[in-house]
Amino acid sequence: MTLVEPDIAARVLEGALVRGGDLAELYAESRRGFSLSLDDGRVERPQSGRERGACIRVVKGESTYYGYVDGVDESDLLRVAQSVAQALRGDERRPAGLSAATAAESHPVRTRPEEVEAARKADLLRTCDERARAAGAEVSQVRIGYGESRRLVEVYNSGGRAASDDRTRVRLSAQVVARRDGRVETGTETRGGHAGWELLESDPDEVAVSAARKALALLDAVDAPTGRLPVVVGNGFGGVLLHEAVGHGLEADAVQKRASVYAGRLGEQVAPELVTAYDDGRREGDWGSDGIDDEGTPTRRTTVIEEGRLSSYLYDLLRARRDGVDSTGNGRRESFRHPPMPRMTNTFFAPGEATPEELISEVERGLYAVSFGGGQVEPATGEFVFGVSEGYLIEGGRVTAPVRGATLVGNGLEALRAIDGVAGDLEIATGYCGKAGQSVPAGVGQPHVRIRELTVGGTAA
Amino acid sequence: MRAARTSAADAPAAAGVGRGVVNLAAPSRRAVEAALAAGASDAEAWVEESTSRRVRVYDGRVESLSDAGGRGVGVRAFVGARAGYAYGTDLSDRGVSEVAAAAREAAEVADEDEHAGLPGEFGAAAVDGFASGEFGAWSTERKVELTLAVERAARARKGVTQVESAVYSDAEGTVAIANSRGFAADYSSTQAWAYASAFAGEGAELMTGLGVGLGRDPAALDAERIGGEAAERAVALVGARQPRSGRCPVLLDAFVAASFVGFVAGMLSADAVQRGRSLFAGREGDEVADPALAVADDGIDPEGPASAPFDGEGSPTRRTPLLGDGRLLTFLFDVRTARKAGRATTGNARRGSYRSPPSVATTNVIVEPGTEDLEGLARLAGDGLYVTDVAGLHSGVNPVSGTLSVGASGRLIENGELAAPVRELTIASDLVSMLGAVQAVGAEARWVPFGGSVKAPPLLVGEMSVSGS
């Protein structure tokens, strides 16, 4: 299916360049989605949506001019092109000729989610609800969410690029609340991928059971300790620490504005040799994967830290041009309503040699941070804050009581340097990453990693 | 009650890439008809059209400039006690009919909900002034000039090493609603924002500061003040160290106070309460805060960015006091939660856009100002902490239990005066203790666009746990 024919795209790019520009781009998108939730034992909020729209962008020197519109009719597109061009003050440029968009190698989708009956999706939610409630009498609230989306993306630019991508994602999430006397605790779990319904065909109720187990465990939680402690960070969603505290600082827009602690440090040893990290938008079926990025560059694996040395930043076309390098395929955007910028895809630490048990057994007193409720980082300084949503004390080399209310506060560079153990159990989890008002699906992940010392802000005196 | 305006035809023509203002009443009525024709027992349509501009400058030049148009329709269809939702961007007869049919089809998947349905009474509040007549008079060039002036103002301050970004953004839009009970209304609004992010210091000592301003049109934005605020916030933190751990009075500046109060008000949603997700469940009428703290939800404040004559399901908006005399006065209701509780809606059914169905949320949260200026509050604090930034509020607060632990930066308060800057600390408490420990409320309230739309002054909290070194 074609959204915009190449001859129309060519006319639009011509229109966008009538007053000059180094690069003109047309990004067209058709997206459809369906979501459903279950709350309080009731299937509710069935929602379906269909959107079509386009974004036209002209880059001239260091400036970007863009406009977007709902709809992909030629008249809409030409009007946006004209409006964008009006902001420029140069001589007309001619775009290169365009061929039909080349479809990106897509990720396998065995069962198209939109072809699965909605009633089956509702049944899946009901099964999850039952299983979560069966996990313990103290489970008091269960909320299950299901979402699917399909995005057809076409990118044409004045350099002759013509590429398309067909992206399907599904995601199942569970949030379970457990109560005992006055205590109320919440556990969450998700499963998602760049994949079809098949992702949810095997044991989808595990998602609900896992969320319930976390909530139940937290009922026995003690107040979190306070102070500087060794921290073992769990695999999978524990990788949000890398994502926030390091990954954002490697995005080339922050680097070029020197708004990143990693600016000017390529080649520097920023972590011990046992640390290697990747951003990989190709990993088959993973949540942050695509065939091409949102500027039409094929996605790929970029080694950002190689045996402790900072080896690459993450680029979109604009920032790559500025640094005289190739885009790393990280030019992503939330939708046609947003301009692309450097964003992570799936970012993770490479697996090491240790086992999680070994990492924990060497800690006399510390924190085992399994999962985070979210986090925030200031890329300019590398300072971060993370709320630990599932955490345990480590005492005498063993995981003991669950803790609540723990916060990790620190600095990305310091945390990287303090890594002293990496396990082999790499796992990628699903997240939504927000930056400059845009939210994109991002895979976060890692094996178990130990940080020698971090500031833990707790509630215990 | 009257409709805010029965037709959008008299609105000024929108410039830029939008299609210009079309009559939104027609597609909204067609969508309702199409849903009924597809078998819905009741239906409601919400149609939006908007145009917006955004200017980002860096280093004295335009970094990006955008011109955008958006339009779409969202349809809520009821089949008896089942509700479904669908949305789309195609406002043609065919497009609108497809969306209506999809909403009708979606409804079949839902379980029955005896409280679901359209409002029994609908209407629009007799309020106006959400759109500035001056808005259209601003050319793109003047908006660029304004943004550059924000950046210059930040850069001019001593100690600023860089202005990471200065951004201007605005939106002009019209919203129309129609339902199968015969209600139809629409209104227009304009909004302009600007912010700057400044850096002071370098390397490991680099600190950042944010300045913001908002109003109905660009003339309401004071470039000098926005840029100056970003600069001052950054410069004030240079040389910050980790403070000692302990318990002490904590003075929250207006930004931080707004974040907390916005968070608390969000937990007063009757939906969160009824679903057992609010620590305030069952506490209506109880003493939950110090009497010094008075908070209202106000959907009709002419200055409020979230103000509108009707809410997301066509109920008139209003002002609802939430905390007063130390008591929790009411929760916030939409029609469904009100029916379930045997109450009346407070006009708090809100929509993010046509892409989402209405759900209970705050409009503008307003904290009644007190009498003390910042110096007075610091004197009252004696020895404590002045917090100008918190990070990780949404991950650091458990909305069900209310325990909180968030990262913070700011300054020490020593002998009643602001002293050395501090960072890399966490403040911890629980929300109910915190509300009860509010000692004094500042006199100078301001609009803050974080944590929803909140107008708050600084707040002095008697005691919180501070964790540093």
Side-chain angles (χ1 to χ4, degrees), chain B residues 53-57 62 64-65 143-144 147 166-169:
Chain B
R53 259 201 198 278
R54 192 174 172 88
V55 182
R56 181 183 282 268
V57 307
V62 172
S64 71
L65 174 67
K143 294 173 183 174
V144 169
T147 323
V167 175
Y168 166 88
S169 180

Side-chain angles (χ1 to χ4, degrees), chain A residues 142-210:
Chain A
V142 178
R143 173 154 57 168
I144 314 286
Y146 167 79
E148 67 188 39
S149 72
R150 185 174 189 180
R151 292 170 70 187
L152 300 172
V153 162
E154 280 175 17
V155 185
Y156 296 96
N157 76 26
S158 55
R161 177 171 282 180
S164 70
D165 200 7
D166 182 352
R167 306 168 179 171
T168 297
R169 284 185 169 83
V170 298
R171 188 170 195 251
L172 180 68
S173 62
Q175 189 190 58
V176 175
V177 176
R179 281 172 196 269
R180 179 191 300 154
D181 305 322
R183 289 188 75 151
V184 184
E185 298 294 348
T186 304
T188 59
E189 187 66 71
T190 63
R191 185 194 293 179
H194 188 136
W197 176 256
E198 65 275 6
L199 187 75
L200 303 178
E201 274 174 341
S202 67
D203 311 318
D205 45 345
E206 263 180 19
V207 174
V209 173
S210 164

Side-chain angles (χ1 to χ4, degrees), chain B residues 117-458:
Chain B
L118 293 175
E121 288 177 46
F122 25 76
V127 287
D128 220 335
F130 304 137
S132 160
E134 304 301 304
F135 188 88
W138 279 70
S139 66
T140 302
E141 285 72 20
R142 281 177 73 200
K143 294 173 183 174
V144 169
E145 253 325 299
L146 173 75
T147 323
L148 289 167
V150 170
E151 190 192 36
R152 276 197 305 274
R155 209 198 319 239
R157 298 296 200 283
K158 191 163 173 268
V160 169
T161 46
Q162 198 191 166
V163 181
E164 185 213 9
S165 60
V167 175
Y168 166 88
S169 180
D170 66 31
E172 179 178 30
T174 300
V175 164
I177 189 172
N179 73 24
S180 53
R181 304 290 174 88
F183 178 60
D186 59 68
Y187 75 98
S188 295
S189 64
T190 59
Q191 195 73 52
W193 311 260
Y195 70 85
S197 162
F199 292 172
E202 290 192 48
E205 295 288 314
L206 191 143
M207 301 308 295
T208 68
L210 187 67
V212 298
L214 61 158
R216 292 283 171 209
D217 61 37
L221 306 177
D222 182 341
E224 192 58 35
R225 198 165 155 187
I226 296 163
E229 176 172 48
E232 280 152 24
R233 283 176 163 269
V235 170
L237 289 174
V238 172
R241 294 286 172 267
Q242 200 170 30
R244 284 183 185 286
S245 300
R247 298 184 67 82
C248 65
V250 173
L251 174 55
L252 311 174
D253 82 350
F255 278 21
V256 177
S259 299
F260 274 107
V261 173
F263 191 86
V264 167
M267 289 167 46
L268 299 181
S269 143
D271 194 52
V273 169
Q274 291 173 358
R275 293 175 192 271
R277 266 187 225 112
S278 169
L279 69 117
F280 294 106
R283 305 202 59 182
E284 219 173 354
D286 287 2
E287 279 184 29
V288 296
D290 188 276
L293 184 65
V295 178
D297 178 83
D298 190 340
I300 50 175
D301 187 312
E303 286 183 0
S307 293
F310 49 85
D311 74 358
E313 55 187 355
S315 300
T317 46
R318 69 207 70 186
R319 182 173 191 279
T320 307
L322 297 172
L323 297 177
D325 297 327
R327 290 180 193 284
L328 171 55
L329 301 172
T330 183
F331 297 123
L332 295 171
F333 295 94
D334 64 357
V335 165
R336 195 185 71 80
T337 54
R339 278 185 190 136
K340 196 167 176 182
R343 301 281 290 272
T345 177
T346 54
N348 284 88
R350 301 257 294 144
R351 297 186 188 239
S353 78
Y354 64 88
R355 292 191 285 280
S356 50
S359 64
V360 184
T362 55
T363 59
N364 306 293
V365 177
I366 296 184
V367 180
E368 204 61 46
T371 51
E372 296 288 338
D373 61 10
L374 193 63
E375 288 72 28
L377 291 168
R379 266 197 306 279
L380 282 173
D383 289 304
L385 187 69
Y386 176 51
V387 176
T388 55
D389 193 21
V390 286
L393 183 66
H394 288 267
S395 53
V397 184
N398 182 326
V400 186
S401 63
T403 54
L404 68 94
S405 168
V406 298
S409 53
R411 294 170 74 178
L412 294 174
I413 303 174
E414 289 171 353
N415 298 319
E417 289 189 14
L418 296 184
V422 290
R423 63 169 172 170
E424 264 194 65
L425 60 114
T426 58
I427 51 176
S429 182
D430 72 89
L431 284 175
V432 173
S433 308
M434 202 175 152
L435 292 177
V438 169
Q439 250 179 13
V441 177
E444 294 145 36
R446 61 175 291 181
W447 286 101
V448 180
F450 332 129
S453 158
V454 187
K455 188 179 189 183

Side-chain angles (χ1 to χ4, degrees), chain A residues 63 70 83 141 184 383 407, chain B residues 62 67 71 275 400 405 423:
Chain A
S63 300
D70 287 322
S83 159
Q141 295 280 337
V184 184
E383 273 178 38
T407 308
Chain B
V62 172
D67 183 358
R71 58 169 188 268
R275 293 175 192 271
V400 186
S405 168
R423 63 169 172 170

Side-chain angles (χ1 to χ4, degrees), chain A residues 118-137:
Chain A
R120 275 183 70 192
K121 296 163 189 166
D123 286 342
L124 169 65
L125 301 193
R126 290 188 187 101
T127 306
C128 285
D129 184 47
E130 280 162 27
R131 291 295 311 276
R133 288 180 190 279

